[in-house]
Amino acid sequence: MTETTATDQRRQAARALACLDLTSLNDDDTPERIDALCDRALSPAPGIDIQPAAVCIYPNFVARARARLGGSGIAVAAVANFPLGTSSIEDVIAEVKRAMADDVDEIDCVFPFRAYLAGDHLVAGELVRQVGEVCHSGSHPTLLKVILETGVLHETETIKAAAAVAIANGADFVKTSTGKLEPAATPEAAAALLDVIGAAQRTGQRIGLKVAGGVKTVEDASVYLDLADGCLEPEAHPGNFRFGASGLLNDIVRVLGSSLDAELPTDY
């Protein structure tokens, strides 16, 4: 590896870390596991002073994560309508309100992707609209990321149309996948979402992209960062771009930790 390539890889690793939603969404998650996740977010590795953007967890752990993270600046994100996207609007709203009562910062809500594929576009849009109204109300607005499950939507035009529905109804971010179904994130799906985000930007909207599912290495992450840099203004950063992952942090630490005595990138 040349010195220039090593420097570029470290910069991409640092960017990926700053944009990371460190995630634990397992059926057998425990309070102790969430504590460990938060501790890893607070201190990814000795000598690395960059922290992830958020931790992403189930709603019942929000209060615990909030207490553990304190005033670190790391956001707490909780999923809703997860992972199947089949809950009633009333149940999803109740779930979101409970998370907000525990001071959640961000909601990652699953789009009713199967209903949408069955032609029920109005219900899909209405769920996003109502969740968006709840998230954006009050003195502490909550960021709404809408999970489209692009691998199931599959066709590029269907992915774009669903993303447009989500954005029109209040999504702040559109997200590729839950990570529970295959295929999860792909560069092709991300490119389709970025096309829709670009169209929204031209009307003055600022919409972000979250890539989740199957992003395991800095090399993987770099593909998506490069795609996003070509669309998001001025480039991909934690305010408009996220990765949802758990294993990615291990490779980020490998890349940054291989030269901790060297000066790390400081702009992310």
Side-chain angles (χ1 to χ4, degrees), residues 152-215:
V152 176
L153 295 176
H154 185 59
E155 299 293 340
T156 297
E157 292 309 313
T158 305
I159 292 169
K160 289 183 177 182
V165 168
I167 291 170
N169 283 283
D172 299 302
F173 272 63
V174 286
K175 176 178 171 181
T176 56
S177 337
T178 60
K180 300 293 187 181
L181 298 175
E182 294 294 339
T186 65
E188 293 77 15
L193 296 179
L194 285 166
D195 281 349
V196 181
I197 290 169
Q201 285 183 161
R202 290 189 287 275
T203 69
Q205 292 178 279
R206 291 292 176 263
I207 307 297
L209 172 66
K210 181 171 174 178
V211 176
V215 183

Side-chain angles (χ1 to χ4, degrees), residues 37-126:
L37 183 83
C38 292
D39 291 346
R40 187 87 194 276
L42 288 165
S43 183
I48 297 176
D49 58 4
I50 303 166
Q51 293 178 329
V55 296
C56 186
I57 54 180
Y58 279 113
N60 54 306
F61 293 117
V62 167
R64 190 175 190 93
R66 168 61 63 214
R68 194 79 172 186
L69 293 171
S72 65
I74 300 170
V76 178
V79 293
N81 203 21
F82 189 91
L84 299 178
T86 55
S87 298
S88 69
I89 292 177
E90 292 75 16
D91 285 348
V92 177
I93 294 299
E95 189 175 31
V96 170
K97 286 182 175 179
R98 285 194 296 270
M100 291 180 69
D102 286 335
D103 206 22
V104 77
D105 297 297
E106 303 173 2
I107 292 290
D108 285 39
C109 183
V110 179
F111 188 74
F113 55 92
R114 296 200 189 279
Y116 184 84
L117 281 174
D120 206 344
H121 298 181
L122 290 177
V123 165
E126 183 63 12

Side-chain angles (χ1 to χ4, degrees), residues 16-22 51-55 73-76 106 238-239 241-242:
L17 178 51
C19 292
L20 180 63
D21 288 1
L22 188 61
Q51 293 178 329
V55 296
I74 300 170
V76 178
E106 303 173 2
F241 185 82
R242 302 285 181 85

